[in-house]
Structures are given as C-alpha cells and as structure tokens.
Amino acid sequence: MHLPRGKSFTQLSNMFDQVLDVMRNMKHEKDSEAHQIFRQSAGHAPRGVVALPETVNPEEETVPGIQHPGSTGVIYCSERAIANGFSYTAQHEWANLGQGAPEVGPIPNAPERPKTIEMSLDSLEYAPTTGVKALREAVANLYNVTYRQNKASQYTYENVCIVPGGRAGLSRVAAVIGDVYTSYHIPDYTAYDQVLSAFKRLVPVPTALDPSNKYRLDIQQTKKDIATQGLAVILASNPRNPTGQVIKGNDLKELVALGREGTTIILDEFYSWYLYPDNDKDIGKSISSAEYIEDVNQDAVIIVDGLTKNWRLPGWRVCWVVGPKNLVTALSQSGSFLDGGANHPLQLAAIPLLDPTHARNERIALQKHFKMKRDHVLARLKDLHLDVDVPPNATFYIWLNLEKLPAPLNNGLTFFEELLKEQTIVIPGIFFDINPSHRRNLFHSPCHHFVRLSFGPPIEDLDKGIDAIARVLKKAKKEGMRAFGHKYGHLLSSNPIRPFTDACLNVVSPSLIYQLQEEHRRACEFGSQDC
C-alpha cells in the first residue's frame, strides 16, 4: 500500500476517522445509505432532477406506459421490515409503532367486539356502488344526532356514499374534481401524495404548517391564498395526521364557511373520536365539520370517515363519504369504474354499530383507553430525554422531533433503519412531506428530522418499542456514532465505501474542520463516547 506523499499511516488513519465522522453528519441524500435504499425503491426516485444519479432499476419498468406511483409510508416501512425479518404471521416478536391502525381487541368498558356475521342469500349479490340504503340511513342519522340537532337542514341517505376504505373514498372524490388548484398542508397524511400524483387534474399547491404555532391552520392566510392563488379545493385531515393536532372551534367554523364562498373543502375525519380533553366531562365528545354546515346540499364540504379508526375495524373496509346530494351521484359513477363498491355482508353487519348510543359507548371507552396510552408513551419518551415539541391532543400519533440527537440518528430514515435492527417499526417523517413531484432533496424537507410513533397498538407492544428506542440511544452513548448509518442489509447499486475512500485522499478543508467541530459539540451534548 502506498501512502499519499507526506502522510504517515497514523495521520491517514486519523483523517479517515475524521471523514467517517463528517459523512455521518450527512448533508445530502446521496451520502446516506438509508436514503439511497428509499430512492431505489420502486416509485421513489427523484423526478426531474439532473444533479442526482439515476437510482431506479430500469428492469422494474418493463411494461410500456406503466410507472410506479410510490408507496405510502406504512407500506414502504412494512416492506423494509419484512426485508429485515418481520412477518405478519409472527408479528408479536416485533413492536410495530408504525401502524396506522388502532388495536382491534377488547378494551376496558367498551361494547363487545363483533365476532360473527350473518350472511343472508341476498347479501351475496353485489351491493349498489353508493352502498346499502339502510347503512346510508344509519350514517346520516348518526351525524344528525351527534352534530345537527335542532338544525333545519338534515342529512338523508342521499347525502351518504359507502366506500371500501378511506383511500377509495378519496380516490372517488379526486376522480370527479375538474382541473383546479388544490391546497394541501405539510405535514399531512401520506396517501395525499399518491392521490395528488395520480389524479393529474388536481394541481397541488402546498402550505407548510408552522411547528412554532403548533401546526395550526392559519385561516386568514388561507383566505388570502384563495383570493391570490385561485384555490378551488382544500384537502386536509382533521384531526391531523401525523401531528396529533385538531382544527376546532371558530377555526373549524370559518374553514367550513369557505365552502359557502366558492371553495370545496375535503376533510378526512377518520380520527374524529380520538380526542383527549383535559376535563373528564368532555370525555365522549367527538368533532366534525358537520356541526358547522348550514345547508347539507349547498355547502361544498365533503367528509370522509368510516369504521376503520373510530370503531377499530380496519379489516372491514367499510367507510363513507358525506356531502351534498349531487356529489353522491357523481361518486356513484366514479365508484363504478374505480372500486365497484364495499363488501355487502359487512355493510349489513355495520348497521347496528352506528346506533348513536352504541357509538357513544365506544367513544367513551376509546378516549379513556387511548388517553392512558398516550400519557404512558409521552412519559417514557421524557425519561429518555426525547421531549415531544407538540404533544398530541388528538389521533393516536406522536410527531417526534429527532433534531437534538447527534447525526445520523437525527434524521427519520436513518433512525427508522436502526430501529429495524431492534425489531421495531416507526414511520420516517419524510412520508408526511406531501411532495407529489418528488423533486426535493430529502435533507431539505421540513419533515426530515421527524418520525411518527403510533400508540395505536396494545400497551405491551408500545413498551417493547420504547425499549428498543432506549437500546439505540444507549448504544449511541456507549459506542459513538460510527456504529450507525450503515449495514442495513440492502445491496446498493453503487459502492457505498467509495465516497469515504476518495474523501480520505483529499486535504481536510476549513469547512470540513467546522463540520467536525459542530458534530463533536453535538455528540458531547448527547453524552456520546465520541465526545
């Protein structure tokens, strides 16, 4: 081996260690193994970017005219977990804090879980694409009893369309919207990325929510954007996934009012029961834009909800879209070629579950149980010095900022990959950066330093997952940062060692020294052995 002129072996070794440390403090996704694995996954390559190397295997796109749309966060993370040994048949060995579903088993004081389903001969036929009339009536009645008592305008079955899942509902709605500017928020539900990418007539217009303002939607700014940008549609989750916040009170009232002024409001209300009030007298209440709608057939407000989250029945795929009558007739047409309708027997089985008294009992039990789990997870994270900047007051998610951790653990994708080694799944924050064009360098994303933790699973799984996070942090303090950011069990198209080797042969620049100093300072604050 020939050493560079004027360099001893010790000097070269020290330079190599320094460069390794700097590369752990990655500034671009091409420097990170975790980010390259993501980019090499079908549908996640950067688009329209010349500066990045081609990372998509051309063999994946073998059918002319077919292009991978990219998977949602939960799907990508599940596939990566499976590549690391996760199995749905033995999932009890893992802690899945990435799942976007609540625990489905019995919880204290809740109504008994459905165990059997009656299937009449008629239920073996196709159901109408708008759904079974009796179920549509039950949905309308529940909204009227819960949110519209003493209001002149009431929902009827004609205002309800039953759909096979929330994403199917959103797809039906997107399919009937014309060429319009569509406002969406960052961060928000991952599937909006695919919806806005697939339905080209929706021209996406982003609004980044401010964490210093607890991700609150600025209604006054929204009104200005409508006037200056010509926004015709606003798409948002409420309560908000992944931040765990909620648009309520006068803010929600003003948002709904925009539906009477020429803007269509689409609200994904799947977490409408997951509220955690400070006062016990408010336990059992839920939230919906339906409370502020004046005329159910004139106000341009579209509500998407279902049994998936609130009733804790994600496997049933029975959901609904509520809105003006003329919307429902359009959704019937789009459903005829998109999905064909929801499961007939399960629609019939769902009818008694929408009885207002039954629903209220479910809500009370759910809120008490999930509030307990939220508080438990927040307390355990605090013990690990992982304070949550904006604690959730709704949903079953915690939006955890990793920015104070040393690199590379301070970005969501690397943190996710390290936890896979500990048989734990979380969702990297970049999946909630709704970025339909996929052009942004992931390191520039406002969601890059975040992960979403779900406290949807049973508490035993939550503890297993927090224990895994504790092990990763302990390892970081004991072994330093060199142990992280690599060995993720995935073959890359390029040699990941080459950048390090090349860098070692260069003279250490002032900017490199500055990066070393910054990384050293951060490691000291964390208590790492690297200090």
Side-chain angles (χ1 to χ4, degrees):
M1 175 180 176
H2 297 286
L3 300 178
R5 185 182 300 274
K7 302 293 183 184
S8 69
F9 184 84
T10 301
Q11 287 175 316
L12 183 62
S13 177
N14 289 338
M15 286 179 62
F16 188 78
D17 287 342
Q18 289 177 323
V19 173
L20 278 175
D21 284 343
V22 172
M23 295 310 288
R24 298 290 177 260
N25 190 14
M26 304 156 192
K27 297 299 182 185
H28 198 286
E29 57 186 74
K30 72 180 187 302
D31 301 324
S32 164
E33 184 176 328
H35 291 70
Q36 287 298 293
I37 290 172
F38 169 75
R39 285 303 196 189
Q40 289 177 18
S41 178
H44 293 292
R47 301 172 189 169
V49 179
V50 179
L52 287 176
E54 179 61 52
T55 56
V56 169
N57 180 355
E59 294 181 0
E60 290 173 346
E61 312 296 356
T62 57
V63 182
I66 298 299
Q67 182 181 32
H68 283 75
S71 55
T72 62
V74 170
I75 300 302
Y76 173 82
C77 294
S78 296
E79 290 173 349
R80 287 294 301 140
I82 290 170
N84 282 268
F86 174 75
S87 168
Y88 285 103
T89 58
Q91 57 183 306
H92 62 276
E93 298 173 3
W94 282 63
N96 189 355
L97 308 191
Q99 70 181 55
E103 58 179 293
V104 299
I107 61 175
N109 302 313
E112 186 178 0
R113 305 302 285 156
K115 295 178 181 177
T116 60
I117 296 171
E118 292 282 342
M119 286 195 291
S120 65
L121 193 60
D122 289 343
S123 73
L124 304 183
E125 301 280 359
Y126 284 125
T129 55
T130 50
V132 173
K133 182 180 178 182
L135 179 57
R136 296 166 68 192
E137 289 174 333
V139 171
N141 179 63
L142 181 61
Y143 276 81
N144 290 335
V145 170
T146 309
Y147 306 111
R148 303 196 58 78
Q149 290 195 33
N150 303 318
K151 295 184 185 293
S153 180
Q154 297 282 297
Y155 287 118
T156 71
Y157 77 93
E158 293 178 292
N159 298 107
V160 179
C161 181
I162 306 300
V163 292
R167 278 162 286 196
L170 288 170
S171 296
R172 285 201 194 190
V173 172
V176 300
I177 294 177
D179 299 287
V180 295
Y181 289 113
T182 303
S183 171
Y184 66 94
H185 305 130
I186 298 172
D188 213 329
Y189 175 41
T190 65
Y192 300 163
D193 192 305
Q194 283 71 37
V195 169
L196 292 169
S197 298
F199 293 92
K200 305 297 184 184
R201 297 171 71 185
L202 282 68
V203 181
V205 180
T207 297
L209 302 176
D210 185 358
S212 67
N213 195 28
K214 296 186 176 181
Y215 299 99
R216 181 182 176 188
L217 177 63
D218 188 333
I219 297 296
Q220 297 310 311
Q221 184 60 50
T222 300
K223 291 179 179 179
K224 291 178 184 177
D225 292 343
I226 290 171
T228 59
Q229 301 178 27
L231 301 179
V233 173
I234 295 174
L235 171 64
S237 62
N238 191 50
R240 318 224 64 180
N241 176 6
T243 62
Q245 304 307 296
V246 60
I247 308 170
K248 59 183 178 180
N250 196 58
D251 283 350
L252 183 55
K253 185 177 182 179
E254 289 194 49
L255 180 61
V256 169
L258 297 176
R260 294 188 285 275
E261 300 170 7
T263 302
T264 297
I265 312 298
I266 304 172
L267 289 175
D268 170 351
E269 297 187 346
F270 269 84
Y271 302 92
S272 56
W273 289 8
Y274 289 85
L275 305 178
Y276 310 115
D278 295 327
N279 196 322
D280 286 348
K281 71 178 180 63
D282 293 324
I283 291 285
K285 292 182 178 180
S286 56
I287 193 163
S288 175
S289 54
E291 182 176 355
Y292 300 106
I293 290 171
E294 291 183 0
D295 189 316
V296 298
N297 289 311
Q298 295 298 320
D299 293 14
V301 179
I302 302 171
I303 300 167
V304 189
D305 202 346
L307 300 184
T308 304
K309 305 296 196 289
N310 294 335
W311 281 260
R312 301 185 295 116
L313 295 170
W316 281 32
R317 315 306 295 151
V318 175
C319 301
W320 49 80
V321 180
V322 177
K325 290 180 184 179
N326 62 351
L327 167 75
V328 173
T329 58
L331 297 183
S332 175
Q333 295 173 359
S334 63
S336 67
F337 64 82
L338 281 174
D339 55 65
N343 181 291
H344 196 164
L346 288 172
Q347 287 189 61
L348 298 175
I351 295 170
L353 303 182
L354 275 83
D355 173 77
T357 301
H358 180 97
R360 177 169 173 76
N361 291 337
E362 288 274 17
R363 281 199 303 273
I364 292 172
L366 178 148
Q367 289 176 5
K368 289 181 177 179
H369 184 65
F370 278 76
K371 184 179 182 182
M372 177 273 294
K373 292 199 295 179
R374 179 203 64 172
D375 294 346
H376 178 76
V377 174
L378 288 175
R380 289 214 57 193
L381 290 173
K382 186 175 182 179
D383 290 342
L384 296 176
H385 305 289
L386 291 174
D387 293 330
V388 178
D389 297 338
V390 185
N393 51 42
T395 74
F396 45 78
Y397 302 122
I398 292 172
W399 188 233
L400 180 61
N401 188 354
L402 306 171
E403 206 162 9
K404 294 179 182 178
L405 295 179
L409 288 180
N410 62 350
N411 79 73
L413 270 173
T414 301
F415 194 79
F416 157 73
E417 290 284 351
E418 293 298 335
L419 281 174
L420 289 183
K421 298 177 182 178
E422 301 291 337
Q423 296 187 306
T424 292
I425 307 171
V426 298
I427 306 296
I430 55 106
F431 285 102
F432 304 93
D433 177 1
I434 313 304
N435 179 21
S437 63
H438 296 184
R439 288 183 171 89
R440 185 170 22 241
N441 173 5
L442 299 176
F443 274 72
H444 297 160
S445 167
C447 305
H448 185 245
H449 292 291
F450 288 84
V451 290
R452 189 194 73 178
L453 307 181
S454 169
F455 53 93
I459 197 163
E460 298 81 11
D461 291 353
L462 302 180
D463 277 329
K464 193 185 302 182
I466 303 299
D467 289 345
I469 293 173
R471 288 195 298 273
V472 169
L473 298 182
K474 182 178 180 180
K475 179 181 178 182
K477 290 184 177 182
K478 183 178 180 180
E479 301 181 22
M481 292 302 112
R482 293 188 185 91
F484 301 102
H486 52 89
K487 296 181 181 177
Y488 294 142
H490 187 98
L491 294 177
L492 300 175
S493 58
S494 59
N495 182 0
I497 303 301
R498 181 65 182 272
F500 301 116
T501 308
D502 292 346
C504 283
L505 301 179
N506 295 325
V507 177
V508 180
S509 66
S511 62
L512 190 60
I513 293 172
Y514 174 75
Q515 290 185 48
L516 283 166
Q517 290 171 335
E518 283 298 295
E519 183 60 21
H520 183 263
R521 177 188 60 79
R522 187 176 294 179
C524 289
E525 290 177 353
F526 179 69
S528 169
Q529 177 181 285
D530 290 340
C531 181

